Amino acid sequence: MKTIASFTVDHDKLEKGMYVSRVDGDVITYDIRMVKPNGGVYLPSPAMHTFEHLFATYVRNSAYSDQIIYVGPMGCRTGFYFLTRDAMSGEQAIALVRECFAFIADFEGKIPGSERKECGNYLEHDLPGAKATAADMCKVLEHWTGPMLQYDYQA
Ligand SMILES: [Zn+2]
């Protein structure tokens, strides 16, 4: 079988941030790296799960809701995939993710979709953990720009 494109990125050289991993027509796949790959520290499953609920809820209620295809965690627990369509620009995607992560960092109350009937593992949630990850990523993305979305970007 062929090696898929996302496995050809040198994961030992990656840092936290937001990157374009695929462009398929008007669909753009972003990799949002929240911990350093192979850094020995990974997103704990409960925090990542809560983060997913809040991330998806926020972007699907935003002005760009019709352009959001998918939000979901990476199996390696280093971050999230975020897919948009309809020529949503990189700058718009960065701004939306930044707003969303600020929302998560400050979120209080009941986690959306966390009732037993709504979720496949409703007891495995960690809101304080999700908020801490969001706050950390707000700092990482504070000055993120369009050109920095390229995996091989060199400042
Ligand atoms: Zn769930």
Side-chain angles (χ1 to χ4, degrees):
M1 290 197 283
K2 283 192 294 186
T3 301
I4 64 175
S6 62
F7 294 157
T8 65
V9 172
D10 184 347
H11 285 68
D12 280 335
K13 291 185 179 156
L14 291 185
E15 299 294 339
K16 289 193 262 188
M18 178 167 169
Y19 307 94
V20 172
S21 68
R22 291 184 64 94
V23 178
D24 301 276
D26 69 347
V27 176
I28 301 179
T29 300
Y30 295 96
D31 291 356
I32 304 177
R33 299 280 177 184
M34 299 175 171
V35 297
K36 186 169 167 48
N38 300 310
V41 177
Y42 303 95
L43 298 174
S45 289
M48 195 168 67
H49 183 196
T50 301
F51 202 101
E52 178 196 28
H53 279 232
L54 290 167
F55 191 173
T57 298
Y58 186 89
V59 295
R60 292 194 186 284
N61 282 282
S62 72
Y64 298 105
S65 58
D66 291 345
Q67 287 162 266
I68 307 306
I69 291 187
Y70 175 73
V71 170
M74 295 177 174
C76 57
R77 293 192 288 117
T78 66
F80 276 73
Y81 299 112
F82 178 48
L83 277 71
T84 68
R85 68 177 165 197
D86 287 347
M88 187 168 164
S89 76
E91 298 288 354
Q92 287 172 319
I94 294 167
L96 176 60
V97 165
R98 233 189 242 135
E99 273 173 35
C100 174
F101 290 7
F103 164 81
I104 296 171
D106 289 337
F107 187 83
E108 295 291 343
K110 191 170 164 296
I111 299 160
S114 61
E115 293 291 336
R116 184 180 175 121
K117 281 186 178 174
E118 302 169 314
C119 173
N121 192 355
Y122 81 110
L123 294 175
E124 192 180 74
H125 278 283
D126 175 10
L127 180 58
K131 291 174 67 158
T133 297
D136 180 56
M137 285 307 294
C138 283
K139 279 183 259 158
V140 171
L141 297 177
E142 191 178 354
H143 302 295
W144 212 259
T145 60
M148 294 165 81
L149 293 169
Q150 302 311 314
Y151 259 128
D152 55 2
Y153 174 79
Q154 304 282 343

